[in-house]
Amino acid sequence: MALGNQLSPTQTLVTFCLWAQRNGYSVGEMHGFSAVHPVHTHGSWHFDSDGGFGKAADINKNGPDEREQLIAAVDRAQELGLGVIFARDGVAGVAGHHKNHLHVDVGPFSHLGQSSFTPRGGGDVLTEALQRAVRGSADQVWGADTDLRAEAVKAASNLMGVTFPHGIEFTQRVVGVADDGVWGNQSRAAHDQTTAAIQRALGRAPTGIWDQAMVNAYSHARSLRNRAV
């Protein structure tokens, strides 16, 4: 029914919409979040659903800084590879009908006011890479297990004081060594290798060291993707 091929998993759009709600945006015209009204173009992603969730949403943020907030939401949606339509850079084409709300979907079309382009698609590849780094299930959904594992690696860093909120054995399993309860040289080396893999997932140089810049990059990614909040 939809216009074109689906480029992103529906769950990636759900991740974005949950972020939007946490940050005070309203999520409309999307199954699983709100009613969908018969006002959209025939074949619109708004009418499609997958696992109880829609494949398109309209995002609003009322207030004096509405435009700035919607531009920020555009950036986060594009970070996830989703399709976006909003009059950010002009009012040409379909973007001219999206001056006061952002359209986000899983399809192959984006327009920000000058010309159309194809979104990256592919889903939340950053989360998938991070999940592989921490030896979790690579399902592209940053849920409770993913968060527990990533936070355990961060907590065991020198910057965070080498702590083990869920036990040394758990952190050892996350970094891929025998869970003997002794945080020795082998565990520390595996921790640094796991940190380097997380850094690669975040697009950073794989130094294996948690410094403040690394924490900031990780926190930025986590704030968008984490569903365990």
Side-chain angles (χ1 to χ4, degrees):
M1 180 177 182
L3 300 170
N5 296 322
Q6 182 169 341
L7 294 190
S8 295
T10 304
Q11 283 298 324
T12 304
L13 178 60
V14 173
T15 292
F16 171 77
C17 290
L18 290 171
W19 168 85
Q21 286 188 328
R22 290 196 304 271
N23 287 274
Y25 296 84
S26 62
V27 178
E29 301 298 320
M30 178 173 171
H31 297 297
F33 285 83
S34 68
V36 177
H37 300 91
V39 297
H40 306 285
T41 302
H42 177 72
S44 168
W45 291 105
H46 285 288
F47 298 123
D48 275 11
S49 63
D50 174 16
F53 292 104
K55 297 186 179 183
D58 287 341
I59 308 299
N60 290 275
K61 184 73 177 284
N62 295 326
D65 60 346
E66 174 188 63
R67 178 171 173 79
E68 290 76 14
Q69 292 292 328
L70 290 175
I71 289 173
V74 167
D75 293 341
R76 304 315 289 269
Q78 289 190 292
E79 190 175 333
L80 291 170
L82 294 163
V84 292
I85 302 174
F86 181 62
R88 187 190 71 180
D89 304 328
V91 294
V94 68
H97 301 291
H98 295 77
K99 298 176 184 177
N100 62 358
H101 73 279
L102 164 65
H103 171 93
V104 186
D105 67 36
V106 298
F109 178 88
S110 285
H111 203 304
L112 291 174
Q114 291 190 343
S115 60
S116 63
F117 58 95
T118 302
R120 171 177 59 78
D124 188 1
V125 293
L126 185 154
T127 291
E128 182 178 355
L130 181 140
Q131 288 170 325
R132 295 186 189 282
V134 298
R135 294 164 178 82
S137 176
D139 60 4
Q140 295 196 353
V141 175
W142 191 315
D145 181 69
T146 298
D147 199 59
L148 205 68
R149 290 169 177 272
E151 286 290 290
V153 178
K154 184 179 79 168
S157 68
N158 289 332
L159 184 68
M160 296 294 136
V162 194
T163 61
F164 305 94
H166 309 291
I168 291 175
E169 292 88 346
F170 175 77
T171 304
Q172 287 177 315
R173 291 192 292 273
V174 170
V175 301
V177 295
D179 55 349
D180 59 7
V182 178
W183 193 253
N185 291 337
Q186 186 179 15
S187 295
R188 286 191 290 270
H191 171 271
D192 294 348
Q193 291 170 1
T194 301
T195 296
I198 294 173
Q199 289 171 319
R200 283 190 286 270
L202 295 171
R204 300 189 59 80
T207 64
I209 298 170
W210 286 81
D211 56 16
Q212 193 56 52
M214 167 63 174
V215 170
N216 292 345
Y218 166 79
S219 297
H220 174 87
R222 183 177 184 240
S223 70
L224 170 59
R225 297 164 170 84
N226 184 16
R227 297 200 196 180
V229 292

